């Protein structure tokens, strides 16, 4: 393992490896427990064991109340900065405590009890963060759905989570348009076989909505009434193994996976990561420029910064166009941000519009220490550009919705290790990362293989999928017994650095957003004129990858292919949402297949990406791939 003169990484990793229970038991001392764990790790509980069995605590208490009690009441907990509306608001820890108490009481009045699910369908406003914390406060399990998903996706999640109540905003604001959320919510509830008891709706002046009588309550009025009545919810005791939230993420089919996060291990892991991976101290300002609809938002906009007693930025805007490519530097200067966490795609967007980073000039960013990147492979060009223009370490780290925090990273808090471009550096304590071949045998350093993690996963990682232990086992544990399958492929070098090269399944990464091509294929195949289809991710300079759908139309179809292609683009946008960024549908005569009928997606991708490719030996008809190459050239795709 790589040693560095000043980094305490190697000794820290060894400390974990020698005695994981002692390591996490020590980390757990930074959390306020109601009842501490009798056993740090119970190998016999749950699917692969459970962390902190028997312990109890409350996450909202640890994220909010304990800081107020410790004298941080006047410190800013959240800074809401919304260039799309011009609004800014600072919420102190004391105010956050009051807001979560009141909203917790409103939820309780709506019938929400410990263990009930609450779906949150909201844009990046401070109320959304308060909503998550209020759920945690009363022991309810939140499930946030990203605003860029369509009604059908929301309906699928409502059906699976069976929420007692849904919290929503009337609209979200994209630079080009106001997105009316409420009609999407109404449609989703109509589509879903499961109906919530009620909805609490935040009216935004940019796009107010009509409330459904008998079902919907007005957010502001309900909170005002609860406050006037002196109501406030206290923090409820929950088991460390109780779920804090369920977050749906793309699987290989159209049915998303409900990743469960348990409350105790989550707090321990995130608190540890803030100090040791991100190198952040209480009172500092941390900014994850993501969205609460994604895991990055859950972990590093909401929970980790607050558990650490930091100030977290809630940013409703984009890296470019709101109003210019200097937006990030403005926020860093204005709010004294010490570390920014974003996706490489955001930097590519800035670099494209402002290659010389002129918008950074004149900004006082002396306090800014580190830029963290995750969500997709950090391409060396972008990393080098950022290092040069910002003059701070650019730290790539690799993780997944499932893990909730970094599998591999460069631990700033322990002392940076030498950076190797293209690598998110080394496994974090808790993760025994290995590269294996198809027979689950370890491969030598430098050899590509499947990246797996030896069980048990560390605290903070998913213990299972929501009410689907079997699907959890099948999806993640069955292929490599004793290991968790990350579904990423890559290699490790002689120094133990991990290189993550891509997915082994049909998940693609579009602008840092994880999407299922299988899900898109299901939508396209439902079009009456489509005989068969295949969706692949093709290289995109800005978004990393964008989906491209190849369709074979039914014989005898008389309508023009370009008309049907437009319908397909609309269909995916309607069913999955604009976030899918599905804009390329290409009609072909046939799909390339092996003799056994398997579609040759990998070769199609290589052709579309202009990578070197060779004719697969198993191909049924070589002419088909040549046809595809011709069509792509004609259409200028790739
Ligand atoms: N509600 C409704 N619609 C949304 C939405 C939301 N919360 N978020 C995105 N959309 C829409 C966008 O308006 C866009 O619609 P369009 O097709 O009509 O233009 C579509 O979904 C795709 O959005 P996005 O992926 O944001 O692409 P973009 O072209 O608008 O912007 C970037 C490109 C690179 C600037 C943008 O993707 C970005 O900032 N990415 C940062 C990555 C990130 O936050 N990753 C999260 C994990 S760290
Ligand atoms: P998500 O669950 O949305 O966080 O997406 C997780 C997937 O994104 C991973 O399985 C990887 O394929 C990819 N990913 C995330 N971070 C990185 C990174 N730093 N380097 C390479 N791939 C990454």
């Amino acid at each position: 393992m790589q040693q560095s003169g000043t980094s305490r990484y190697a000794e820290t990793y060894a400390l974990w490896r020698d005695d994981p229970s002692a390591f996490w038991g020590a980390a757990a001392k930074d959390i306020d427990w109601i009842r501490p764990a009798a056993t740090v790790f119970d190998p016999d509980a749950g699917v692969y064991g459970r962390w902190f069995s028997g312990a109890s605590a409350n996450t909202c208490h640890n994220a909010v109340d304990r800081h107020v009690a410790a004298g941080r009441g006047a410190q800013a907990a959240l800074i809401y900065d919304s260039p799309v509306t011009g609004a800014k608001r600072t919420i102190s820890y004391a105010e956050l405590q009051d807001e979560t108490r009141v909203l917790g009481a409103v939820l309780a009045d709506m019938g929400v009890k410990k263990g009930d699910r609450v779906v949150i369908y909201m844009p990046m406003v401070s109320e959304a963060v308060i909503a998550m914390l209020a759920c945690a406060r009363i022991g309810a399990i939140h499930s946030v759905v990203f605003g860029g998903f369509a009604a059908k996706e929301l309906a699928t999640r409502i059906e699976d989570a069976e929420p007692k109540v849904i919290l929503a905003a009337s609209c979200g604001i994209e630079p080009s348009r106001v997105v009316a959320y409420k009609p999407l919510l109404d449609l989703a509830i109509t589509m879903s076989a499961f109906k919530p008891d009620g909805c609490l709706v935040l009216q935004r002046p940019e796009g107010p909505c009509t409330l459904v009588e008998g079902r919907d309550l007005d957010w502001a009025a309900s909170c005002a009434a609860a406050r006037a009545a002196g109501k406030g919810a206290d923090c409820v005791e929950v088991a460390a193994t109780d779920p804090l939230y369920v977050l749906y993420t793309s699987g290989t089919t159209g049915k998303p996976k409900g990743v469960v996060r348990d409350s105790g291990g989550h707090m321990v892991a995130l608190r540890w990561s803030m100090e040791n991976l991100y190198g952040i101290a209480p009172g500092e300002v941390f900014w994850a420029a993501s969205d609460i609809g994604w895991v990055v938002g859950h972990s590093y906009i909401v929970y980790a910064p607050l558990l650490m007693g930091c100030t977290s930025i809630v940013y409703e805007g984009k890296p470019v166009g709101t109003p210019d490519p200097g937006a990030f530097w403005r926020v860093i200067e204005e709010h004294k941000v010490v570390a920014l966490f974003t996706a490489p795609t955001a930097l590519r967007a800035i670099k494209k519009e402002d290659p010389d980073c002129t918008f950074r000039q004149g900004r006082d960013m002396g306090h800014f220490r580190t830029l963290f990147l995750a969500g997709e492979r950090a391409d060396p060009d972008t990393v080098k550009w950022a290092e040069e223009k910002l003059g701070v370490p650019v730290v790539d780290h690799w993780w997944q919705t499932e893990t909730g925090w970094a599998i591999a990273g460069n631990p700033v808090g322990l002392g940076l290790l030498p950076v190797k471009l293209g690598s998110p550096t080394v496994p974090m304590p808790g993760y025994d990362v290995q590269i294996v071949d198809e027979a689950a045998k370890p491969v030598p350093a430098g050899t590509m293989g499947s990246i797996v993690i030896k069980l048990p996963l560390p605290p903070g990682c998913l213990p299972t999928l929501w009410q689907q232990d079997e699907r959890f086992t099948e999806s993640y544990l069955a292929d490599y017994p004793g290991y968790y399958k990350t579904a990423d492929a890559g290699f490790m070098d002689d120094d133990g650095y991990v290189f993550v090269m891509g997915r082994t399944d049909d998940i693609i990464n579009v602008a840092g957003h994880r999407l299922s091509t299988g899900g898109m294929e299901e939508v396209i195949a439902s079009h009456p004129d489509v005989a068969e289809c295949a969706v692949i991710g093709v290289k995109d300079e800005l978004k990393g990858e964008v989906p491209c759908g190849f369709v074979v139309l039914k014989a005898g179809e008389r309508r023009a292919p370009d008309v049907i292609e437009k319908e397909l683009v609309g269909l995916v946008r309607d069913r999955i949402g604009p976030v899918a960024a599905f804009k390329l549908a290409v009609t072909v005569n046939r799909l390339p297949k092996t003799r056994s009928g398997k579609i040759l997606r990998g070769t199609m991708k290589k052709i579309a990406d202009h990578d070197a490719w060779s004719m697969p030996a198993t191909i049924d008809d070589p002419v088909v791939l040549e046809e595809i190459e011709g069509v792509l050239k004609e259409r200028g795709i790739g």
Side-chain angles (χ1 to χ4, degrees):
M1 189 64 64
Q2 173 91 16
Q3 285 278 6
S4 159
T6 51
S7 179
R8 288 181 289 119
Y9 167 73
E11 68 193 65
T12 308
Y13 192 81
L15 211 61
W16 161 72
R17 202 164 199 151
D18 291 348
D19 193 344
S21 285
F23 184 90
W24 292 117
K29 294 209 160 54
D30 287 328
I31 300 302
D32 258 8
W33 301 97
I34 297 168
R35 194 160 19 99
T39 6
V40 174
F41 182 71
D42 177 358
D44 299 322
V47 180
Y48 65 84
R50 297 300 300 262
W51 291 98
F52 306 107
S53 291
S56 66
N58 181 283
T59 297
C60 185
H61 165 81
N62 274 281
V64 183
D65 296 44
R66 78 178 288 196
H67 301 309
V68 178
R72 277 189 194 280
Q75 183 198 307
L78 302 176
I79 297 175
Y80 167 59
D81 186 310
S82 169
V84 290
T85 62
K88 285 181 197 171
R89 179 184 173 200
T90 299
I91 300 173
S92 68
Y93 271 100
E95 285 163 340
L96 189 57
Q97 184 181 32
D98 173 65
E99 298 268 8
T100 54
R101 276 179 59 79
V102 170
L103 186 58
V106 170
L107 290 174
D109 279 351
M110 292 176 83
V112 180
K113 293 183 301 298
K114 179 173 162 178
D116 285 343
R117 272 78 57 215
V118 173
V119 161
I120 300 174
Y121 187 57
M122 296 179 76
M124 281 295 290
V125 290
S126 36
E127 287 84 352
V129 178
I130 294 166
M132 293 164 77
L133 292 164
C135 288
R137 193 171 188 88
I138 62 170
I141 302 164
H142 61 69
S143 188
V144 182
V145 180
F146 178 62
F149 281 122
K152 172 80 170 43
E153 291 288 321
L154 177 58
T156 308
R157 288 153 174 81
I158 294 172
E159 247 170 27
D160 197 67
E162 304 189 324
K164 182 95 180 160
V165 159
I166 299 182
L167 303 182
S170 58
C171 68
I173 294 141
E174 283 296 288
S176 57
R177 64 190 191 283
V178 171
V179 183
Y181 277 30
K182 185 57 174 20
L184 297 174
L185 172 66
D186 291 341
L187 184 58
I189 294 175
T190 309
M191 284 173 169
S192 166
F194 179 88
K195 313 285 178 198
D197 286 358
C199 300
L200 188 66
V201 183
L202 179 75
Q203 292 282 17
R204 302 190 75 190
E206 295 80 9
C209 63
T210 316
L211 300 183
V212 174
E213 233 187 278
R215 189 197 73 189
D216 299 345
L217 293 177
D218 179 82
W219 188 299
S222 303
C223 286
R227 187 170 270 117
K231 290 185 183 170
D234 290 330
C235 292
V236 164
E237 178 174 1
V238 297
T241 49
D242 281 345
L244 171 70
Y245 68 77
V246 177
L247 176 60
Y248 289 89
T249 191
S250 300
T252 47
T253 64
K255 196 169 175 351
K257 293 167 166 168
V259 168
V260 172
R261 193 80 58 214
D262 61 4
S263 69
H266 177 244
M267 284 192 279
V268 174
L270 291 191
R271 171 65 180 73
W272 186 92
S273 75
M274 277 310 270
E275 186 174 342
N276 297 286
L277 171 56
Y278 297 95
I280 305 294
E284 292 191 315
V285 185
F286 188 81
W287 179 23
S290 178
D291 188 289
I292 51 141
W294 308 115
V295 70
V296 174
H298 280 64
S299 294
Y300 293 102
I301 294 173
V302 184
Y303 290 110
L306 297 180
L307 287 167
M308 194 68 197
C310 294
T311 301
S312 180
I313 307 281
V314 179
Y315 176 73
E316 189 180 30
K318 301 264 174 178
V320 292
T322 59
D324 55 44
F328 276 16
W329 324 137
R330 194 265 304 163
V331 172
I332 289 172
E333 178 187 51
E334 189 173 327
H335 303 303
K336 300 267 174 294
V337 172
V338 300
L340 166 66
F341 177 166
T342 190
T345 189
L347 291 185
R348 288 196 297 270
I350 296 171
K351 183 175 147 203
K352 192 167 165 220
E353 289 202 7
D354 183 21
D356 296 325
C357 212
T358 50
F359 281 86
R360 187 223 175 287
Q361 282 159 20
R363 293 269 175 217
D364 176 7
M365 286 171 51
H367 49 277
F368 183 57
R369 293 199 300 264
T370 329
L371 174 66
F372 292 94
L373 298 179
E376 57 174 322
R377 184 159 188 274
D379 53 292
D381 281 352
T382 303
V383 174
K384 275 193 266 182
W385 180 84
E387 273 173 353
E388 189 194 308
K389 302 297 178 205
L390 301 177
V392 296
V394 177
V395 175
D396 179 20
H397 57 323
W398 164 60
W399 49 298
Q400 313 180 309
T401 305
E402 288 84 346
T403 63
W405 66 289
I407 306 169
N410 197 340
V412 176
L414 297 173
L416 272 180
L417 292 169
V419 172
K420 292 192 190 185
L421 287 177
S423 166
T425 318
V426 289
M428 288 296 98
Y431 296 97
D432 180 350
V433 176
Q434 299 187 19
I435 315 289
V436 296
D437 63 16
E438 274 166 20
K441 285 238 292 290
V443 298
T447 309
M448 278 281 283
S450 295
I451 314 181
V452 297
I453 300 164
K454 193 162 189 297
L455 292 173
L457 292 168
C461 293
L462 81 172
T464 189
L465 293 174
W466 178 245
Q467 296 188 325
Q468 289 193 46
D469 285 356
E470 230 167 82
R471 188 176 179 203
F472 171 67
T473 305
E474 245 169 61
S475 309
Y476 300 101
L477 311 184
D479 289 357
Y480 305 100
Y483 294 86
Y484 164 85
K485 176 177 79 174
T486 65
D488 276 311
F491 62 93
M492 278 170 100
D493 72 6
D494 288 325
D495 295 324
Y497 278 56
V498 184
F499 290 76
V500 183
M501 306 311 287
R503 297 280 304 193
T504 57
D505 55 13
D506 64 359
I507 301 280
I508 58 168
N509 205 311
V510 181
H513 309 315
R514 172 170 158 176
L515 297 162
S516 159
T517 54
M520 292 184 219
E521 286 176 6
E522 281 173 28
V523 172
I524 294 170
S526 73
H527 189 287
D529 297 334
V530 170
E532 59 176 344
C533 67
V535 175
I536 57 167
V538 300
K539 257 189 221 159
D540 182 81
E541 224 179 88
L542 176 66
K543 299 194 174 191
E545 270 182 317
V546 289
C548 176
F550 294 85
V551 291
V552 177
L553 301 181
K554 282 185 182 154
E557 179 50 50
R558 294 281 174 269
R559 291 191 311 140
D562 62 330
V563 174
I564 297 172
E565 287 170 7
K566 276 202 195 93
E567 286 174 10
L568 293 173
V569 168
L571 200 62
V572 174
R573 195 177 169 92
D574 273 2
R575 297 261 185 91
I576 297 178
V579 69
F582 181 78
K583 307 220 157 128
L584 297 172
V586 180
T587 307
V588 291
N589 291 326
R590 287 171 297 170
L591 292 174
K593 290 183 185 169
T594 61
R595 281 186 284 276
S596 59
K598 210 169 153 252
I599 298 173
L600 289 159
R601 290 182 174 79
T603 316
M604 289 164 79
K605 179 170 170 53
K606 281 189 182 145
I607 294 174
D609 289 348
H610 303 298
D611 287 343
W613 66 280
S614 52
M615 193 62 73
T618 53
I619 194 159
D620 183 38
D621 183 353
V623 176
V624 185
L625 275 177
E626 282 155 21
E627 273 175 21
I628 296 238
E629 196 173 24
V631 173
L632 287 172
K633 213 172 262 167
E634 206 180 287
R635 304 271 293 252
I637 294 171

